[in-house]
Amino acid sequence: MPLNLGNDGDGSSRIILTEPRGSTAEVLLFGGQVISWKNERREELLYMSTKAQYKPPKAIRGGIPVCFPQFGNFGGLERHGFVRNKFWSYDEDPSPLPPANKQSSVDLILKSTEDDLKTWPHSFELRIRISISPGKLTLIPRVRNIDSKAFSFMFALRNYLYVSDISEVRVEGLETLDYLDNLIGKERFTEQADAITFDGEVDRVYLNTPTKIAVIDHERKRTIELRKEGMPNAVVWNPWDKKAKTIADMGDEDYKTMLCVDSGVIEPPVLLKPREEWKGRQELSIVSSSYCSGQLDPRKVLYGDN
């Protein structure tokens, strides 16, 4: 399993995962964050802000940040929690996960510190396995309660996807579901459209979502399929033009080529008893797609050929 190491300008480690067909992923120990995922043709599949700042402890905008123990402003902690601002370590004991055969992977761990306990008074271990295989990027997060009391938490993988043109993108698999609209004080609505399309700012937390969601990029004739387990929420976010201009570490025009479709357990949070462990799983995969009249066959997108 090829595993290459490099250093960033601040001296932190960068792990480069590769697989035989040529696709790659780059992971930082800072934040335990995937910052690049390229297919065998060296095409980037994740969005990174043109103004992203690699200056710890500032979080990096783009890739796949890890949000814990809070997502967004769904609580009293800093936005998206604090683990995306921390340096993680290599996990020398990734059991009880099975070995990652025929794919390149890295196991990382973050343990709560005394400073963390001042912010959030619960002792935890947060692990994540990041694996790459042809056409697929897999993340397996685990949270263990090593405290003497139960605690509740939220968790999300914020997937910044690189798209050709946000106005030509469709998200399928969330139709008829309830969602909380962050633009209207987390009011609850039911999705009425047969697919989510974009002509303005969107910031929604979908509830009780299926295990598979499809992000259809018409211009590239490509679908990104999100499969997830243990994370029943899906967040869909694009800031559009006005909000993008207010975000310091985001280019004014970046909103046109990015879309966040996140896996999460946010509402309701997870309640974890002492010595218990929570586990999630997310797979992002690329499906080449041809379409007729701008419409994909959703059965193929959502259920595949196998």
Side-chain angles (χ1 to χ4, degrees), residues 105-140:
S105 68
V106 64
D107 291 281
L108 303 179
I109 185 170
L110 183 72
K111 298 181 180 181
S112 51
T113 65
E114 290 299 321
D115 282 345
D116 295 335
L117 292 173
K118 296 174 185 176
T119 303
W120 192 63
H122 307 291
S123 297
F124 67 89
E125 292 177 349
L126 173 54
R127 290 176 163 86
I128 190 164
R129 168 173 284 180
I130 302 162
S131 305
I132 190 171
S133 56
K136 184 180 294 184
L137 177 67
T138 303
L139 289 84
I140 302 176

Side-chain angles (χ1 to χ4, degrees), residues 12-306:
S12 62
S13 291
R14 177 184 299 239
I15 304 112
I16 301 172
L17 305 177
T18 63
E19 56 83 21
R21 292 191 189 177
S23 58
T24 62
E26 294 184 32
V27 184
L28 297 183
L29 284 185
F30 178 65
Q33 184 168 339
V34 180
I35 58 168
S36 174
W37 174 36
K38 294 180 180 178
N39 62 18
E40 64 276 8
R41 295 185 297 278
R42 307 298 297 156
E43 296 169 330
E44 181 60 65
L45 303 168
L46 299 179
Y47 157 85
M48 285 298 297
S49 170
T50 57
K51 292 186 177 180
Q53 299 179 27
Y54 297 83
K55 296 178 180 178
K58 183 171 177 58
I60 301 168
R61 185 171 298 281
I64 307 179
V66 179
C67 305
F68 173 90
Q70 175 179 303
F71 178 81
N73 58 356
F74 280 74
L77 301 176
E78 65 179 279
R79 189 173 182 84
H80 295 320
F82 53 80
V83 305
R84 62 186 185 139
N85 307 83
K86 303 288 185 180
F87 282 95
W88 295 47
S89 304
Y90 293 104
D91 188 357
E92 304 296 340
D93 183 23
S95 59
L97 288 181
N101 295 322
K102 297 182 181 179
Q103 55 187 350
S104 185
S105 68
V106 64
D107 291 281
L108 303 179
I109 185 170
L110 183 72
K111 298 181 180 181
S112 51
T113 65
E114 290 299 321
D115 282 345
D116 295 335
L117 292 173
K118 296 174 185 176
T119 303
W120 192 63
H122 307 291
S123 297
F124 67 89
E125 292 177 349
L126 173 54
R127 290 176 163 86
I128 190 164
R129 168 173 284 180
I130 302 162
S131 305
I132 190 171
S133 56
K136 184 180 294 184
L137 177 67
T138 303
L139 289 84
I140 302 176
R142 292 183 290 152
V143 177
R144 178 169 289 278
N145 182 349
I146 57 172
D147 211 313
S148 59
K149 295 181 180 178
F151 61 72
S152 61
F153 67 89
M154 304 172 210
F155 183 92
L157 295 169
R158 166 131 278 201
N159 300 308
Y160 281 90
L161 305 177
Y162 179 61
V163 298
S164 55
D165 181 349
I166 185 62
S167 62
E168 298 295 325
V169 169
R170 295 167 58 90
V171 178
E172 297 187 357
L174 300 174
E175 50 275 8
T176 75
L177 299 181
D178 284 1
Y179 64 87
L180 306 178
D181 194 331
N182 286 323
L183 303 180
I184 316 178
K186 301 186 180 71
E187 273 195 55
R188 186 164 176 155
F189 297 92
T190 301
E191 183 58 64
Q192 303 293 332
D194 61 354
I196 302 169
T197 57
F198 302 89
D199 58 7
E201 184 181 359
V202 173
D203 189 355
R204 301 170 183 170
V205 178
Y206 284 83
L207 309 174
N208 302 313
T209 62
T211 57
K212 290 179 247 187
I213 300 167
V215 180
I216 302 164
D217 191 333
H218 289 314
E219 190 169 312
R220 286 204 173 90
K221 295 183 173 62
R222 183 171 70 199
T223 295
I224 298 177
E225 186 177 83
L226 168 62
R227 299 185 182 215
K228 55 190 180 62
E229 299 169 11
M231 293 184 280
N233 299 131
V235 183
V236 179
W237 179 65
N238 182 285
W240 217 250
D241 54 350
K242 290 183 181 178
K243 176 66 72 64
K245 291 176 181 177
T246 70
I247 301 174
D249 59 348
M250 188 174 195
D252 289 354
E253 302 296 312
D254 281 15
Y255 76 94
K256 295 178 179 178
T257 56
M258 62 76 63
L259 174 64
C260 283
V261 180
D262 310 334
S263 303
V265 54
I266 302 162
E267 181 59 44
V270 175
L271 178 64
L272 203 61
K273 296 178 181 177
R275 296 178 298 280
E276 282 190 343
E277 182 176 84
W278 168 87
K279 178 183 173 183
R281 181 184 182 92
Q282 169 184 287
E283 292 180 357
L284 290 171
S285 57
I286 301 300
V287 181
S288 293
S289 51
S290 59
Y291 58 91
C292 179
S293 303
Q295 191 85 5
L296 277 162
D297 180 346
R299 289 170 298 180
K300 288 186 178 179
V301 172
L302 295 176
Y303 304 106
D305 298 321
N306 52 3

